[in-house]
Amino acid sequence: MRLSASQSRLATRGAACTNAPLGRPRDESINTEVVAAVLQVLKTRGYRAVTIEGIARRVRTARTSLYRRWPSKRHLVAYAVVSEMGASPAADTGALREELEAAVRTLLRAFSGPLGHALPGLVADMAQDPELAATIREEVLAARRNSMRDAFARAMAREEIRKDLDIELLLDMLTGPFYYRALFGHAPITARMTLDTVKYIIRIASRR
Amino acid sequence: MRLSASQSRLATRGAACTNAPLGRPRDESINTEVVAAVLQVLKTRGYRAVTIEGIARRVRTARTSLYRRWPSKRHLVAYAVVSEMGASPAADTGALREELEAAVRTLLRAFSGPLGHALPGLVADMAQDPELAATIREEVLAARRNSMRDAFARAMAREEIRKDLDIELLLDMLTGPFYYRALFGHAPITARMTLDTVKYIIRIASRR
DNA sequence: ACGTTCCGCTACATAGCGTAGCGTATCTGC
DNA sequence: GCAGATACGCTACGCTATGTAGCGGAACGT
């Protein structure tokens, strides 16, 4: 997180880039209030309901002030989501099952929060803005994947699991079902599901 | 497939419902040409590029003629996609691995065609139109899932696989990774991946 | 004081959606 | 035939949302 608006793509103008801030400084409270407003709207009324106009009204500022910071709605939403979704914990407990369950549980929670409601619209925007897609992948997905990848690596080092595994595919089989269900809604995402998914993944990975 | 526009939601007016068609009949060629145009645009320029105006121009007709058939762009796209994606083959070959591989291969192909480019936008629209979501789930997803579910059921009857399986979850673990990769683009969808996915799923399901 | 930048505002241009109404064409039933 | 019903193609409109331009004033550095 801590993704500067100008970092992800290029804010309207410099600002926060130059290390010698010149002129009137930006009102940082606007920044945080906007993010809060976006997350609020995302959670309660979904992605489509997020409009620059609407957010500006909630924060009692002007649309133009938002455009000074984020070049478009996509970037605003991406910034808000990235600010909210930090890296996942991924403690090293020494037990693969525990670690995977913990990691997957964060997914379960995430899909109940703003991210769950942002996901469909976010995916659509990613499809037409490769730069945005890269940002989301790196800032939101990669952190989660890294922690799980490490968990597999540790288990492999302990010789708990087979060595001939396609870890990337395992990660997709572990988390793909959550995204799949969240996006298409053909089945609910439950605590039971998280346990069973991990159980099956371990069955794939365990030696013989 | 063969989803009537009026069936999925409710076309502008009756038409094709009454078995005694009164008045000037609809020009069916418009229907097929529109679907072709939508799929063409989907494949070449993505979901966002599909506009009622643009499609009407391609088919040399008027926007209003399209609105007479489909209540909104969502329904138009859904109709086009559903028309294109028929039920999957799902032959009964007696070998679970073969059947799953065949089923998953259709996914691999589908994501290279119009559906692949329609998916992100379609998902976004589904999120804000439950009725559309239900239609897509039933007409596009359910057919594929049914054939795979049947394959598992047959294998279970042959006592090839364990009986204590959550088949719905297995289906999600089998196909979820494809949707996941198609939507987020963090990894490519390859033939190798289809084989490995099936291999892992069978490892989960096999007895002992 | 001065330059620079942000803020809040109004105004504007653009795109796309979806609706309404008109004259015309095409079909069915009497 | 003729009347009724419907589709077609067209123009016109209203709406929402995006994104841009320019202005006076406020807040900061030097």
Side-chain angles (χ1 to χ4, degrees), chain B residues 11-208:
Chain B
T12 42
R13 287 272 198 60
C17 291
T18 63
N19 40 8
L22 203 54
R24 176 175 174 171
R26 286 198 171 159
D27 182 350
E28 287 305 323
S29 74
I30 287 183
N31 218 297
T32 57
E33 281 180 45
V34 164
V35 169
V38 170
L39 294 176
Q40 172 70 12
V41 174
L42 272 180
K43 183 152 57 178
T44 58
R45 302 193 328 194
Y47 184 96
R48 176 68 174 269
V50 176
T51 67
I52 302 282
E53 169 84 36
I55 298 299
R57 258 204 312 271
R58 275 175 179 253
V59 183
R60 298 195 199 292
T61 184
R63 286 211 323 277
T64 44
S65 293
L66 301 193
Y67 279 112
R68 273 188 207 100
R69 294 161 192 247
W70 299 278
S72 89
K73 172 182 162 179
R74 296 192 286 285
H75 300 85
L76 170 56
V77 174
Y79 179 81
V81 169
V82 169
S83 299
E84 179 71 356
M85 305 286 153
S88 44
D92 178 355
T93 70
L96 179 61
R97 182 183 304 267
E98 264 183 43
E99 293 174 10
L100 292 186
E101 283 177 358
V104 169
R105 227 178 351 249
T106 68
L107 265 187
L108 175 64
R109 268 202 307 273
F111 287 147
S112 311
L115 181 56
H117 297 84
L119 213 52
L122 210 52
V123 159
D125 280 351
M126 286 171 69
Q128 65 175 135
D129 184 339
E131 205 162 343
L132 176 76
T135 300
I136 294 292
R137 278 198 301 266
E138 289 161 19
E139 305 287 333
V140 179
L141 300 190
R144 298 174 181 278
R145 292 179 75 85
N146 287 341
S147 71
M148 300 190 221
R149 195 180 294 119
D150 291 349
F152 278 113
R154 287 192 296 268
M156 210 176 274
R158 290 194 302 266
E159 306 214 335
E160 271 177 33
I161 59 175
R162 316 164 56 126
K163 294 213 182 307
D164 62 339
L165 294 168
D166 181 343
I167 298 296
E168 294 309 306
L169 181 55
L170 276 191
L171 293 181
D172 288 337
M173 292 178 71
L174 176 59
T175 61
F178 291 85
Y179 290 91
Y180 187 27
R181 291 189 178 188
L183 287 168
F184 288 90
H186 56 285
I189 297 177
T190 64
R192 174 64 190 271
M193 172 195 175
T194 66
L195 297 179
D196 285 345
T197 309
V198 171
K199 181 170 77 180
Y200 288 167
I201 289 294
I202 288 183
R203 202 179 288 172
I204 296 174
S206 63
R207 310 163 59 105
R208 219 175 19 84

Side-chain angles (χ1 to χ4, degrees), chain A residues 37-208:
Chain A
V38 169
L39 294 176
Q40 172 70 13
V41 174
L42 273 179
K43 183 151 58 178
T44 57
R45 302 195 327 200
Y47 185 96
R48 176 67 173 269
V50 177
T51 66
I52 301 283
E53 169 85 36
I55 298 299
R57 258 203 313 270
R58 275 175 180 252
V59 183
R60 296 196 201 291
T61 184
R63 285 211 324 275
T64 44
S65 294
L66 301 193
Y67 279 113
R68 272 187 208 100
R69 294 160 193 245
W70 299 277
S72 90
K73 173 182 161 180
R74 295 193 286 286
H75 301 85
L76 171 56
V77 175
Y79 179 81
V81 169
V82 169
S83 299
E84 178 71 358
M85 304 287 153
S88 44
D92 177 356
T93 70
L96 179 60
R97 182 183 304 268
E98 263 183 46
E99 294 175 11
L100 292 186
E101 282 176 358
V104 168
R105 225 177 354 247
T106 69
L107 266 187
L108 174 64
R109 267 202 308 272
F111 288 146
S112 311
L115 181 57
H117 297 84
L119 213 52
L122 210 52
V123 158
D125 280 351
M126 287 171 69
Q128 63 174 138
D129 185 338
E131 206 161 344
L132 177 77
T135 301
I136 294 292
R137 278 198 302 265
E138 289 160 20
E139 305 287 333
V140 179
L141 300 189
R144 298 174 181 279
R145 291 180 75 85
N146 287 342
S147 71
M148 299 190 222
R149 198 178 356 246
D150 292 349
F152 277 114
R154 286 192 296 269
M156 210 176 273
R158 290 192 303 264
E159 306 212 335
E160 270 179 36
I161 59 176
R162 316 165 54 127
K163 293 210 184 305
D164 62 337
L165 293 168
D166 181 343
I167 298 295
E168 294 308 306
L169 181 54
L170 275 192
L171 293 181
D172 289 336
M173 291 178 72
L174 177 59
T175 61
F178 291 85
Y179 290 91
Y180 186 26
R181 290 189 178 186
L183 288 167
F184 289 90
H186 56 285
I189 296 177
T190 65
R192 174 65 191 270
M193 172 195 174
T194 68
L195 297 180
D196 285 344
T197 308
V198 171
K199 181 171 77 181
Y200 288 167
I201 289 293
I202 289 184
R203 200 179 289 173
I204 295 174
S206 64
R207 309 163 56 105
R208 230 172 1 95

